[in-house]
Amino acid sequence: MREIAAAIKTDLETITAIRQVFAPYELPDTPNALPAAIIMPGITDYNHDFTRQIAPSTSFRIIILLAQQSKPSAASVLVDLIEGDSSVFAVLEADPTLGDTCTGFELQRNKGLGVIPWGGIVYLSTEFEMVAYGIQD
């Protein structure tokens, strides 16, 4: 999972609208530059086939902290993050094996604009959900 998260981080760092990206093993108490992307582990499905023919999959939550909740105009950045050549989707799709850390992945959905508390501050945020398949050893 660490290698996949590092590959996602590397890809997201190419998006100019995102000023900081954090992998699960380096989470900040409070990000010092916004918008910031935080990669969190999601659900992991282990191989239940005793023949070991099926590789496990794991999911990730990519949370984007846009600005403090008191700055609703920051939500305008959301459009660029969900569509276009520099969107989260476009940047990740350009790396179909996430740096050869998996056999493939699906960016399944964006949850739209919301809020999330982080480090005692409430942020305007959005979240992307993705699943990586065929995790390499």
Side-chain angles (χ1 to χ4, degrees):
M1 179 187 320
R2 185 178 288 259
E3 293 81 14
I4 296 172
I8 295 168
K9 177 182 176 179
T10 298
D11 290 344
L12 294 180
E13 287 174 331
T14 67
I15 300 174
T16 57
I18 298 175
R19 297 183 58 203
Q20 288 184 295
V21 182
F22 299 97
Y25 47 85
E26 58 186 22
L27 298 177
D29 290 330
T30 305
N32 54 9
L34 297 173
I38 298 173
I39 303 161
M40 298 289 292
I43 297 168
T44 298
D45 290 324
Y46 294 100
N47 178 4
H48 294 290
D49 179 357
F50 293 110
T51 63
R52 307 292 288 168
Q53 299 292 320
I54 303 169
S57 66
T58 192
S59 64
F60 292 90
R61 298 169 52 215
I62 300 169
I63 301 167
I64 312 278
L65 304 178
L66 299 167
Q68 291 186 17
Q69 184 180 16
S70 62
K71 300 183 181 183
S73 62
S76 61
V77 174
L78 181 60
V79 174
D80 293 333
L81 294 173
I82 61 175
E83 63 180 39
D85 294 339
S86 294
S87 67
V88 171
F89 177 81
V91 166
L92 291 174
E93 286 289 308
D95 185 8
T97 63
L98 299 172
D100 294 325
T101 60
C102 62
T103 58
F105 71 92
E106 288 180 88
L107 188 60
Q108 296 181 322
R109 68 186 56 87
N110 171 262
K111 292 186 173 183
L113 184 64
V115 295
I116 188 170
W118 190 274
I121 300 170
V122 179
Y123 293 95
L124 290 173
S125 65
T126 191
E127 184 175 332
F128 295 85
E129 294 178 353
M130 68 177 292
V131 177
Y133 301 102
I135 301 165
Q136 306 297 314
D137 292 333

